[in-house]
């Protein structure tokens, strides 16, 4: 029977990363730079085990039942955000099932099928999927070493006959590029959004993963109500807890809560409490220090290996935080072939095609995203050597 898929479902496509993960799980001694996750050693398993026990002792049944759709840990998040100069009221915070759900709910709350949004490119494919399914057009804006090119954004938005509903950006250690938006760009972007009355969707899962350099203010700090601020504890505590949050103007936050009822009704209370106990016990600083120390040495190891093993006509970003490096390849590189060769050589990466709209992919050079923190230094060197071999085989 032919399934009568909706137009929305027809726009959903399977990304290469899903296929890579499926294929590579069957290959022994595989080194994957593909999936975006922190060093496994940074996930505080023992601490979380104790905390989960403590919660179940204290809260019992309550922790295992349905909970408030808006979430239950706003009070602790108000204090947490204040340390980052974000002054949020409890009613402006929605707890979400991962940061992904924040973008999903904001998109559904703001966009009609005939709407336009703006996004920087290359960009995180899962949210790109949400945009593709729910709006008519995504206006692409390129990035350089200072982040989204705001002059290009201004020019494009000013030439549109319809105002976009929001501008999507990942200003800190961007996925996939690792680039951080400069202070000057942040100010310019916020000023433009305020002048035009266009929301900015600021997605910040890597914000607190800075290993070097000075802290920069979030767009939320600079822009107040024009900015919808999204984050979560996936990369800093555990991806599997699925605890995220959104800070948005009160009315929008309320609308997102109404929509969330039909998405999953509530984010598991046990998981929310695990995060709030973790923060209340003052374990955050120590956790961030652990991430910083392990990830910094791995970042340097990947950069060193790239320099040693990759040819001169290949360039890469040198991020100061987060988990990704973006490697730009010679224009003639067939990225699909490179991926096949890489898999044959037992190494994985995510190809640039996953991070663009199919219709704009050809306007950008082929590239690969490498997640750098997962392995120790020896494996990193071996993995980069294998990638360099696959690249030589592809370029001939
Ligand atoms: C930009 C961006 N947003 C959201 C997410 C997902 O976050 P979460 O696991 O909190 O849903 C990721 C994870 O890779 C990401 O890179």
């Amino acid at each position: 029977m032919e399934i009568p898929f909706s137009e929305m479902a027809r726009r959903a496509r399977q990304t290469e990363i899903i296929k890579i993960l499926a294929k590579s799980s069957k290959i022994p001694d595989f080194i994957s730079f593909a999936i975006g996750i922190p060093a496994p050693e940074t996930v505080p398993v023992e601490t979380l085990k104790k905390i989960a026990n403590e919660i179940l002792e204290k809260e019992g049944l309550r922790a295992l039942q349905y909970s408030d759709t808006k979430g239950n840990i706003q009070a602790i998040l108000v204090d947490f955000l204040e340390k980052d100069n974000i002054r949020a009221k409890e009613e402006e915070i929605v707890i979400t099932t991962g940061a992904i759900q924040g973008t999903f709910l904001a998109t559904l709350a703001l966009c009609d099928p005939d709407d336009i949004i703006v996004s920087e490119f290359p960009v995180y494919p899962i949210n790109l999927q949400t945009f593709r399914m729910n709006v008519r057009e995504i206006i692409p804006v390129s990035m350089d070493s200072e982040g989204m090119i705001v002059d290009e954004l201004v020019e494009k938005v000013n030439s549109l006959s319809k105002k976009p509903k929001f501008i999507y950006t990942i200003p800190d250690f961007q996925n996939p590029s690792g680039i951080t938006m400069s202070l000057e760009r942040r100010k310019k972007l916020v000023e433009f959004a305020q002048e035009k009355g266009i929301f900015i969707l600021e997605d910040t899962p890597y914000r607190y993963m800075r290993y070097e350099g000075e802290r920069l203010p979030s767009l939320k700090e600079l822009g107040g109500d024009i900015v919808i601020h999204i984050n979560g504890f996936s990369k800093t505590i555990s991806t599997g807890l699925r605890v995220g949050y959104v800070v948005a103007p009160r009315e929008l936050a309320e609308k997102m809560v109404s929509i969330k009822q039909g998405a999953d009704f509530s984010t598991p209370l046990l998981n929310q409490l695990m995060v709030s106990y973790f923060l209340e016990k003052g374990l955050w600083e120590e956790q961030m220090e652990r991430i910083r120390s392990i990830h910094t040495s791995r970042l340097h190891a990947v950069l060193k290996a790239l320099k040693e093993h990759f040819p001169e006509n290949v360039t890469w970003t040198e991020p100061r935080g987060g988990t990704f490096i973006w490697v730009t390849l010679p224009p003639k590189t067939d990225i699909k072939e490179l991926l096949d060769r890489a898999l044959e050589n037992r190494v994985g990466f995510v190809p640039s095609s996953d991070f663009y709209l199919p219709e704009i992919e050809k306007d950008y050079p082929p590239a690969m995203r490498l997640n750098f923190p997962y392995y120790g230094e020896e494996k990193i060197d071996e993995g980069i050597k294998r990638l360099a071999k696959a690249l030589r085989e592809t370029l001939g």
Side-chain angles (χ1 to χ4, degrees), residues 283-295:
L283 299 170
W284 175 256
E285 273 312 319
E286 192 186 306
Q287 170 70 0
M288 293 318 295
E289 194 39 55
R290 188 167 169 72
I291 291 176
R292 221 170 282 138
S293 124
I294 297 177
H295 286 196

Side-chain angles (χ1 to χ4, degrees), residues 36-37 97-101 103 124 126-127 168 170 174-175 203-206 230-235 238-239 242-244 324 369:
I37 43 176
T97 302
I100 289 175
Q101 192 178 55
T103 297
Y124 179 53
I126 292 179
N127 289 346
Y168 177 74
I170 308 159
Q174 201 245 13
N175 183 0
D203 194 9
T204 64
Y206 310 97
I230 299 173
N231 199 348
F233 296 93
S234 277
K235 309 293 166 148
S238 147
T239 53
R242 312 301 304 127
V243 178
F324 302 116
R369 187 192 76 176

Side-chain angles (χ1 to χ4, degrees), residues 150-332:
V150 179
D151 285 345
E152 185 183 319
L153 165 87
V154 170
E155 202 185 307
K156 285 190 169 166
V157 170
N158 283 339
S159 71
L160 294 170
S161 53
K162 187 173 177 174
K163 190 163 96 171
K165 282 292 172 71
F166 59 76
I167 301 160
Y168 177 74
T169 181
I170 308 159
D172 306 295
F173 316 112
Q174 201 245 13
N175 183 0
S177 68
I179 291 169
T180 292
M181 191 185 285
S182 68
L183 181 59
E184 198 187 322
R185 290 268 172 93
R186 284 172 197 244
K187 287 182 178 162
K188 223 166 152 177
L189 173 60
V190 161
E191 216 170 274
F192 177 70
Q194 281 172 333
E195 182 197 314
K196 294 280 174 185
I198 304 172
F199 279 120
I200 297 172
L201 214 60
E202 173 188 39
D203 194 9
T204 64
Y206 310 97
R207 174 158 180 80
Y208 302 122
M209 304 171 87
R210 175 178 282 284
Y211 317 135
E212 289 162 11
E214 293 273 303
R215 169 196 177 273
L216 287 168
S218 65
L219 298 174
K220 184 73 184 167
E221 178 184 339
L222 296 172
D225 272 356
I226 205 73
V227 181
I228 302 162
H229 180 82
I230 299 173
N231 199 348
F233 296 93
S234 277
K235 309 293 166 148
T236 48
I237 300 181
S238 147
T239 53
L241 287 180
R242 312 301 304 127
V243 178
Y245 57 87
V246 178
V247 187
R250 190 178 53 82
E251 258 180 278
L252 176 56
E254 282 170 5
K255 188 54 79 185
M256 290 169 71
V257 172
S258 306
I259 299 170
K260 182 173 160 70
Q261 286 189 78
D264 60 3
F265 191 75
S266 61
T267 298
L269 182 57
L270 176 60
N271 300 14
Q272 292 185 58
L273 292 176
M274 283 169 80
V275 168
S276 83
Y277 274 47
F278 193 90
L279 297 177
E280 274 169 34
K281 285 175 186 291
L283 299 170
W284 175 256
E285 273 312 319
E286 192 186 306
Q287 170 70 0
M288 293 318 295
E289 194 39 55
R290 188 167 169 72
I291 291 176
R292 221 170 282 138
S293 124
I294 297 177
H295 286 196
T296 305
S297 59
R298 295 184 181 182
L299 169 61
H300 290 153
V302 177
L303 293 174
K304 180 168 168 272
L306 283 168
K307 216 167 165 187
E308 269 175 33
H309 306 303
F310 267 47
E312 295 234 314
N313 53 356
V314 175
T315 57
W316 50 85
T317 54
E318 297 198 1
R320 312 184 88 185
T323 69
F324 302 116
I325 294 174
W326 186 243
V327 181
T328 303
L329 302 159
K332 65 169 185 182

